[in-house]
Amino acid sequence: MMDASIKEGKYAADISSIREAHARISSFIHKTPVITSESLNAMCNRSLYFKCECFQKGGAFKFRGACNAIYSLDDAQAAKGVVTHSSGNHAAALSLAAKSRGIPAYVVIPKNAPKCKVDNVIRYDGQVIWSEATMKSREDTASKVSRETGAVLIHPYNDKRIISGQGTISVELLEQAPQIDTIIVPISGGGLISGVALAAKSMNPRIRVLAAEPRGANDAAQSKAAGRIITLPETNTIADGLRASLGEFTWPVVRDLVDDVIVVDDTDIVEAMRLCYEILKVAVEPSGAIGLAAVRSESFMSNPAWKDCNHIGIILSGGNVDLGVLWDSYRK
């Protein structure tokens, strides 16, 4: 079933490009499991279905988009490699996807990136180029590398190939749990939620798609309220993967197809991480746990608009936790 409002060509990606991406990458990615918990269902008074992208290759959903981008290149483009700028999961994912095709990946990483995510890039043979922590430094450095090497720039989220690859999550999720009436998705630059929303609402026009966002990086909530992209001068959240701003390709999808943005505090994210560890027995990074934090939040639980959200898909988007910090805390 196709929502008449989601016309092909209206957005950077569509259900056709997403299904093409799924066919292109299905032999390279993991079809991640959907798990449930009666304990968490009782706690939230709803049926929850956790799509475990923390079990994806590279430890996060980002491998889907990266793989689609890498395998969309023709041989001449691929030979010169790819370049990106990323604070973590996209960097590792692109490195791994490039390695699988046998091409170089140049990865611009800000100096404040979590060590575990930098280690992943190195593990997957990505060539690390350091930048300052500002977006301008990241972008300028990546552009310089692209000019010098001829490598194709693969943006972390503002790219049709990336959005289409991330949308394959919905294709799988709605086959695995077709009863789902709502999907809660972490939001940052918007590549994940754009792909998820485009696919899900094309497959089931009645489905709700809600974004989960940390209060210290709530630009998406502000953008939805203002009707235009709002960028924040600075962000402050434990969820290091959710600090980016919406892009020109992702914003129209978020504006039109995301039903609401649920904003949560860092303390709620940490508690959701604890529940994932203790009850689901799944290692989830802060950005990945925010969907559970959102469904447990007072703003969601008490909102009459969502009283009929009974079967909720929650995307556990990544599991790359800097465990060094955790181990150090035990030693103190």
Side-chain angles (χ1 to χ4, degrees):
M1 191 173 184
M2 180 80 170
D3 185 346
S5 68
I6 309 178
K7 296 173 183 171
E8 292 198 7
K10 182 176 182 181
Y11 303 109
D14 52 44
I15 190 62
S16 296
S17 68
I18 292 166
R19 291 200 182 278
E20 287 167 6
H22 200 234
R24 183 178 294 119
I25 69 177
S26 59
S27 63
F28 301 103
I29 64 171
H30 291 316
K31 182 177 182 179
T32 53
V34 172
I35 63 175
T36 59
S37 163
E38 291 300 326
S39 296
L40 289 176
N41 288 353
M43 193 179 294
C44 299
N45 197 30
R46 286 163 163 98
S47 296
L48 308 180
Y49 306 83
F50 295 92
K51 180 65 167 163
C52 295
E53 286 297 295
C54 46
F55 297 154
Q56 188 53 261
K57 291 181 181 179
F61 75 94
K62 292 280 192 178
F63 186 67
R64 294 174 182 268
C67 209
N68 189 47
I70 290 290
Y71 284 94
S72 295
L73 300 176
D74 62 36
D75 289 344
Q77 292 173 314
K80 294 182 178 180
V82 291
V83 59
T84 194
H85 58 86
S86 168
S87 61
N89 285 338
H90 174 72
L94 196 72
S95 299
L96 182 57
K99 183 178 181 179
S100 75
R101 190 165 175 181
I103 65 175
Y106 305 97
V107 184
V108 176
I109 299 181
K111 293 175 181 176
N112 64 343
K115 182 179 182 298
C116 67
K117 296 185 178 182
V118 178
D119 289 345
N120 282 343
V121 172
I122 296 169
R123 184 178 298 120
Y124 301 139
D125 296 340
Q127 300 181 41
V128 175
I129 298 117
W130 296 103
S131 75
E132 298 304 320
T134 66
M135 185 58 69
K136 183 177 189 306
S137 176
R138 286 168 48 160
E139 291 175 344
D140 289 351
T141 306
S143 295
K144 181 172 182 285
V145 172
S146 181
R147 288 193 303 271
E148 291 175 351
T149 64
V152 178
L153 180 64
I154 307 291
H155 194 277
Y157 53 86
N158 203 46
D159 185 297
K160 172 180 179 174
R161 299 161 296 189
I162 296 293
I163 294 169
S164 298
Q166 319 308 24
T168 63
I169 292 174
S170 285
V171 175
E172 291 181 7
L173 178 58
L174 294 182
E175 289 174 352
Q176 292 166 308
Q179 67 271 40
I180 285 174
D181 54 44
T182 307
I183 305 177
I184 299 183
V185 190
I187 191 167
S188 182
L192 172 61
I193 200 167
S194 293
V196 166
L198 285 165
K201 296 215 171 193
S202 293
M203 297 168 72
N204 176 5
R206 292 176 297 279
I207 203 165
R208 300 176 178 96
V209 177
L210 303 176
E213 186 172 50
R215 194 170 305 281
N218 66 342
D219 59 294
Q222 292 189 37
S223 298
K224 286 281 281 184
R228 59 184 176 85
I229 295 179
I230 300 291
T231 56
L232 304 178
E234 60 181 4
T235 58
N236 181 21
T237 175
I238 191 175
D240 61 274
L242 302 181
R243 295 171 181 163
S245 300
L246 295 166
E248 62 178 309
F249 295 149
T250 59
W251 162 241
V253 184
V254 172
R255 179 193 62 207
D256 299 347
L257 301 183
V258 173
D259 295 282
D260 200 2
V261 182
I262 302 166
V263 177
V264 299
D265 293 318
D266 275 11
T267 52
D268 299 322
I269 295 173
V270 172
E271 175 64 12
M273 283 180 70
R274 184 181 70 81
L275 292 172
C276 287
Y277 278 65
E278 291 185 354
I279 297 177
L280 293 181
K281 314 302 182 190
V282 172
V284 181
E285 64 188 274
S287 305
I290 195 170
L292 177 58
V295 83
R296 296 184 69 244
S297 69
E298 182 65 23
S299 62
F300 177 79
M301 299 280 277
S302 64
N303 189 336
W306 315 129
K307 63 182 175 59
D308 296 327
C309 298
N310 296 315
H311 297 276
I312 301 175
I314 296 175
I315 297 176
L316 301 180
S317 56
N320 294 313
V321 184
D322 193 343
L323 291 175
V325 176
L326 179 62
W327 304 148
D328 289 345
S329 70
Y330 275 125
R331 296 188 188 106
K332 290 177 181 176

